Amino acid sequence: MARADTLARARKLDRPELAYLVRFSAADGTTDMELTWAELARDTAWVAGALRGHGLAAGQRALLNTSGFEGFWGRAVIGALSELRVTYGIAEAMGWDHRRTAVFHRELNPHAVIGLSADTLEGLAGAADVAEMFRPTALVLARPAAVPVLRGLGIPAALIAAVGPALALECPERQGGHVNAAEWRVGARDGELFVAAGEQRTSSLPETPLGIAGRVVTGSCACGSQDPRVQLAEAGPALSARS
Ligand SMILES: [Zn+2]
């Protein structure tokens, strides 16, 4: 059968709604949650809005540090970068792949680095001046453990963090990572975060304690968003964008 015929037939097949099974660490152990293609599309649109808020625009370049198992948010970020027409390269967030981060950073001269990890910073520190490397980068969205390291070096990193199956993304105000309130309900009890599926989420998740130390700030943010902000103890105190 010709390839065109095969593709035409494949297009008629039912597409399963399930895109991913998201496996995450909760306070009571490993938990699974479904992620549908429709949810992924909404997550992608939300991430695109957040990145647009940071000034990402067509023609710019980005470096994304992510691992395959993080596809539940990594794919939303990739989709958002495509939507914004930002060219991107991907390096692992694991420390062993820090050389790829160094090469992409040198060759791409990216406007944004997204998902930078403390492990990668540690790997880079042996061969490069990390402060000098990331100071010219307009936007560094870093993981919780990397945020205080970068801020200590004078780089105003913003937070990107998985909060269970949800994604927290700090806006330019840097007052905690926004979580999409339409899709998730986040809160804190006794200083520990919990997450539950929100009103729009079709995949179910009851209120699940995450065993992550932090707090949640509600009310409107100076960026204009009403989405709650997650402040992780690990990421250090919130940073004022104007300081
Ligand atoms: Zn904000």
Side-chain angles (χ1 to χ4, degrees):
M1 187 183 289
R3 188 162 178 270
D5 292 348
T6 312
L7 290 172
R9 274 194 68 184
R11 271 196 289 272
K12 287 182 189 158
L13 298 173
D14 286 339
R15 198 183 190 194
E17 282 183 19
L18 185 66
Y20 280 92
L21 263 181
V22 181
R23 176 156 286 186
F24 62 95
S25 293
D28 298 329
T30 305
T31 304
D32 290 330
M33 182 184 185
E34 294 187 348
L35 172 65
T36 67
W37 291 108
E39 287 163 346
L40 189 53
R42 295 199 299 272
D43 292 351
T44 301
W46 183 83
V47 172
L51 294 182
R52 205 177 279 121
H54 275 290
L56 249 73
Q60 293 174 343
R61 294 175 301 277
L63 168 60
L64 174 61
N65 286 120
T66 188
S67 304
F69 70 91
E70 299 174 312
F72 69 95
W73 66 260
R75 198 171 160 133
V77 173
I78 289 168
L81 292 172
S82 301
E83 197 178 312
L84 297 175
R85 300 187 180 280
V86 171
T87 305
Y88 62 89
I90 301 177
E92 269 283 343
M94 307 279 188
W96 52 260
D97 205 32
H98 67 270
R99 285 190 188 83
R100 196 188 313 265
T101 293
V103 169
F104 271 140
H105 196 271
R106 191 180 63 227
E107 300 298 325
L108 280 174
N109 186 22
H111 181 86
V113 175
I114 302 170
L116 192 59
S117 71
D119 285 353
T120 298
L121 287 177
E122 200 174 306
L124 289 170
D129 182 332
V130 173
E132 199 175 293
M133 186 174 167
F134 292 106
R135 208 168 280 136
T137 308
L139 171 64
V140 179
L141 278 164
R143 292 163 189 258
V147 168
V149 177
L150 289 161
R151 288 181 182 175
L153 294 170
I155 295 157
L159 175 73
I160 182 169
V163 178
L167 183 66
L169 263 177
E170 217 163 40
C171 69
E173 298 295 324
R174 292 166 171 77
Q175 295 294 308
H178 283 289
V179 172
N180 185 355
E183 300 286 334
W184 305 102
R185 188 165 59 79
V186 287
R189 202 160 282 132
D190 300 327
E192 293 207 341
L193 300 176
F194 66 79
V195 66
E199 276 179 23
Q200 258 189 42
R201 211 74 178 171
T202 41
S203 299
S204 62
L205 184 74
E207 191 171 304
T208 305
L210 295 170
I212 299 172
R215 63 193 204 110
V216 175
V217 180
T218 54
S220 61
C221 176
C223 74
S225 170
Q226 297 290 328
D227 287 332
R229 282 152 284 165
V230 170
Q231 296 179 342
L232 302 174
E234 192 188 2
L239 185 75
S240 168
R242 297 179 196 88
S243 67

